[in-house]
Amino acid sequence: MKKPAPPEHPSNKLSRHMVQELRSDHAGETGAVYIYQGITVVARWRQDAELLAFARAHGDTEAEHLKLVEEWLPPALRSRLLLPWRMAGWLTGALPALFGRRAVYGTIAAVETFVDVHYQQQIDHLQVHGGPDGLLPLLLRCQADEQHHRDEATALAGPHTPWLLRLWCAVVGSGSAAAVVLARRI
């Protein structure tokens, strides 16, 4: 009796371009999980219950995103730079948390603004070129969550952003863009 073939992995239906994009998504969601872990450590140390609740709620969403992306991208296709993404994410969360909630909220707003655009580019690509069933709804869901995170953080940060926080957020945005380019390749 012939053994049945194993089920086809969803990654087998992905174009090379979408494998690279999902690799960057996986790296980004890994970094995001660690951003909130960094915030959590500092919020506990500072005994800041509000910031701790924010970090836990958002961190749970990012962990769910990571799990969803991992269902599409087997380990062999993921970025080989996960340790640096984890370290960068942790520092991106912990450093602003040392300066307080406003710095955290500004940082999250900057990160999520970048992520929203990044997901939109992938969504646009799939709407033009098509892709495997289930991928577009996944990206739309993740994007909606990230937009919610951005909007919540923006509201919590307040209307006036000090110049040093604006500079930090510009560095975070540039770092996110550079990380995507690198994660697509490695």
Side-chain angles (χ1 to χ4, degrees):
M1 179 174 222
K2 190 174 183 181
K3 186 176 178 179
E8 185 175 0
H9 194 278
S11 65
N12 294 339
K13 299 176 184 176
L14 296 171
S15 68
R16 182 176 186 271
H17 173 78
M18 286 312 301
V19 167
Q20 292 174 327
E21 291 301 315
L22 285 174
R23 183 180 301 126
S24 73
D25 293 345
H26 182 264
E29 296 297 351
T30 298
V33 166
Y34 279 81
I35 286 173
Y36 291 107
Q37 288 181 5
I39 295 168
T40 297
V41 167
V42 175
R44 276 193 197 127
W45 174 70
R46 294 183 68 160
Q47 299 179 351
D48 187 333
E50 179 183 320
L51 193 55
L52 189 57
F54 175 87
R56 284 182 175 157
H58 288 242
D60 288 347
T61 304
E62 301 300 350
E64 182 182 344
H65 291 177
L66 180 59
K67 182 180 173 190
L68 292 169
V69 173
E70 286 177 341
E71 290 173 5
W72 279 88
L73 203 64
L77 296 177
R78 297 175 191 163
S79 175
R80 293 185 305 273
L81 300 175
L82 290 179
L83 179 61
W85 302 143
R86 289 176 181 126
M87 291 170 34
W90 197 90
L91 289 171
T92 301
L95 291 176
L98 291 171
F99 292 93
R101 293 178 196 153
R102 190 173 190 185
V104 168
Y105 301 145
T107 300
I108 296 305
V111 168
E112 299 298 17
T113 296
F114 173 82
V115 173
D116 178 33
V117 171
H118 180 64
Y119 273 130
Q120 188 61 51
Q121 291 167 343
Q122 295 173 17
I123 290 164
D124 291 345
H125 177 85
L126 286 175
Q127 288 173 333
V128 170
H129 301 286
D133 289 340
L135 184 56
L136 181 59
L138 167 73
L139 295 178
L140 288 166
R141 175 183 170 188
C142 290
Q143 182 190 39
D145 290 341
E146 307 297 5
Q147 289 169 338
H148 173 73
H149 290 180
R150 177 202 61 210
D151 295 346
E152 180 184 4
T154 299
L156 290 168
H160 304 291
T161 306
W163 71 269
L164 190 56
L165 181 54
R166 284 194 312 267
L167 178 63
W168 166 252
C169 289
V171 169
V172 166
S174 296
S176 297
V180 164
V181 170
L182 196 54
R184 284 178 180 146
R185 296 180 182 157
I186 302 174

